[in-house]
Amino acid sequence: MAPSAPLPVRDGVGPTRLRVPTSGPWSTIADFVVERFEHLDADDLRRRFDAGEIVDDDGTPITRETPLGTIEFLWYYRQLPAEEPVPFHEQILYVDDDLVVIDKPHFLPTTPGGRFLRESALVRLRIRLDNPDLTPIHRLDRATAGLVMFSARPATRGAYQSLFEKREVAKVYEAVSGRPAAWDADPPIPARYATPFVYRNHICSRRGELRVIVDDAREPNAETLIEVHGTGTSASGRAVVHTRLRPHTGRMHQLRVHLAALDLGILGDRWYPDLQPEEPDDHRLPLQLLARELGFTDPLTGRGRRFVTRRTLSEVPVRHG
């Protein structure tokens, strides 16, 4: 269980926890922090220690003289000097005392990370709904659009989180891929893909690495039901394949990896099948992956719930081949 933060949510942003080494070349915790964040102004970091803005697990301020080895973790608020706004906005589809469901746009992260702090769905919603207790029950990649559920209060959070842990949420995604050259002959859909089929493999994620790794020597731990929904030409003139995806598991990047393995790499995907050089976001071609539907039995009421996105993918076929 994650530890309780000793600092409150501030302007929609929760504090960050950092492990402090018990030994090393630094005489004080402040010296370690200054070197750890060498890209930040050292004098400003020391000022934050003097102002009591950096605390331990009990909320006790850490001073610039606090020796290394006296605490294991510290807490602080991340600060970004200039954060470029994400020019797309989440839509709130449902709100009650326990649950918030939104339609997340492409390019907006679910939670703070990297160069995004205030420009995340979580921080935006905490401010918009004036609710510092909002917490995502599951997450979508920044590049993926569609449905995301948030817990509105701690008392019932575990009941909704357990739905995902027990795989009791029916999830439907849709994606658009470039049509493989082999599909240009008649019939337009090869027999292998003509009916819904299940794809499985073993996906591993490694700390600090952007992409996951497929290990074909191990038993599958990732499973997706794939249905070719249609083929044709998109409004931009691309020859495309439109799929519906029902993941049984929720491994990192699972849908992107599974389609790439089938020669159906998703349009706009700069990570799979091959990692592309980092570039600014291309708003003309967002990743063509959408979290379309969420269905489950509400653990509080026992009633069935179903949410459907209002968004569409820009590259769906408009002319069928």
Side-chain angles (χ1 to χ4, degrees):
M1 181 180 294
S4 298
L7 296 172
V9 171
R10 186 175 69 183
D11 297 327
V13 180
T16 297
R17 185 173 184 245
L18 176 68
R19 182 184 291 274
V20 180
T22 56
S23 62
W26 315 277
S27 59
T28 67
I29 292 171
D31 289 340
F32 159 71
V33 170
V34 167
E35 183 171 319
R36 170 68 172 76
F37 298 107
E38 60 182 355
H39 59 288
L40 300 178
D41 182 79
D43 290 338
D44 184 61
L45 286 173
R46 293 191 173 92
R47 177 201 62 75
R48 294 178 65 184
F49 278 98
D50 294 341
E53 296 179 6
I54 300 174
V55 305
D56 64 16
D57 278 333
D58 296 326
T60 303
I62 302 167
T63 71
R64 68 165 72 192
E65 290 83 21
T66 302
L68 192 75
T70 55
I71 65 166
E72 187 177 1
F73 295 97
L74 61 79
W75 294 79
Y76 67 100
Y77 291 106
R78 287 185 62 208
Q79 295 180 339
L80 293 179
E83 189 172 356
E84 184 177 350
V86 175
F88 307 103
H89 300 280
E90 70 286 354
Q91 294 177 295
I92 296 177
L93 301 182
Y94 179 84
V95 179
D96 66 20
D97 291 340
D98 302 289
L99 193 65
V100 176
V101 181
I102 69 164
D103 231 349
K104 188 185 79 68
H106 296 287
F107 306 111
L108 180 70
T110 301
T111 57
R115 68 183 190 275
F116 299 95
L117 182 61
R118 295 175 183 85
E119 290 299 295
S120 63
L122 176 60
V123 173
R124 285 183 177 183
L125 286 170
R126 282 176 170 172
I127 295 172
R128 183 174 172 182
L129 298 176
D130 191 23
N131 183 356
D133 290 329
L134 275 175
T135 301
I137 301 171
H138 65 117
R139 304 183 186 191
L140 292 183
D141 295 340
R142 186 174 78 86
T144 305
L147 301 175
V148 187
M149 290 169 45
F150 292 79
S151 163
R153 63 188 183 110
T156 57
R157 183 170 303 148
Y160 288 104
Q161 288 175 331
S162 67
L163 292 174
F164 286 88
E165 293 167 0
K166 297 176 181 177
R167 299 178 183 171
E168 293 176 348
V169 179
K171 296 174 283 186
V172 180
Y173 289 73
E174 62 179 284
V176 179
S177 309
R179 189 170 67 197
W183 288 37
D184 289 341
D186 290 331
I189 300 177
R192 177 187 177 188
Y193 303 91
T195 58
F197 62 97
V198 173
Y199 186 85
R200 302 180 182 91
N201 65 5
H202 190 100
I203 294 175
C204 310
S205 58
R206 296 180 179 174
R207 188 178 182 87
E209 294 192 12
L210 292 176
R211 304 200 308 162
V212 299
I213 296 171
V214 174
D215 188 346
D216 291 327
R218 300 176 66 181
E219 286 294 317
N221 65 355
E223 178 179 308
T224 305
L225 178 68
I226 300 172
E227 176 187 5
V228 175
H229 193 60
T231 66
T233 305
S234 69
S236 66
R238 293 181 171 92
V240 296
V241 178
H242 186 197
T243 52
R244 291 280 173 87
L245 312 165
R246 291 172 171 82
H248 179 64
T249 54
R251 300 293 173 181
M252 179 178 175
H253 300 166
Q254 175 177 318
L255 303 180
R256 298 163 71 170
V257 169
H258 281 183
L259 287 180
L262 295 166
D263 198 24
L264 292 171
I266 301 173
L267 287 174
D269 194 343
R270 301 191 60 80
W271 288 14
Y272 302 98
D274 300 310
L275 183 63
Q276 304 297 314
E278 185 174 357
E279 294 181 355
D281 291 335
D282 184 356
H283 295 163
R284 298 168 300 175
L285 183 61
L287 178 71
Q288 295 295 287
L289 181 61
L290 178 66
R292 176 183 173 81
E293 299 177 29
L294 290 172
F296 56 93
T297 299
D298 192 292
L300 305 183
T301 67
R303 297 175 181 171
R305 295 230 194 191
R306 180 172 176 264
F307 299 100
V308 181
T309 183
R310 297 174 184 170
R311 299 183 183 276
T312 58
L313 295 173
S314 59
E315 296 298 312
V316 295
V318 293
R319 298 193 304 276
H320 291 276

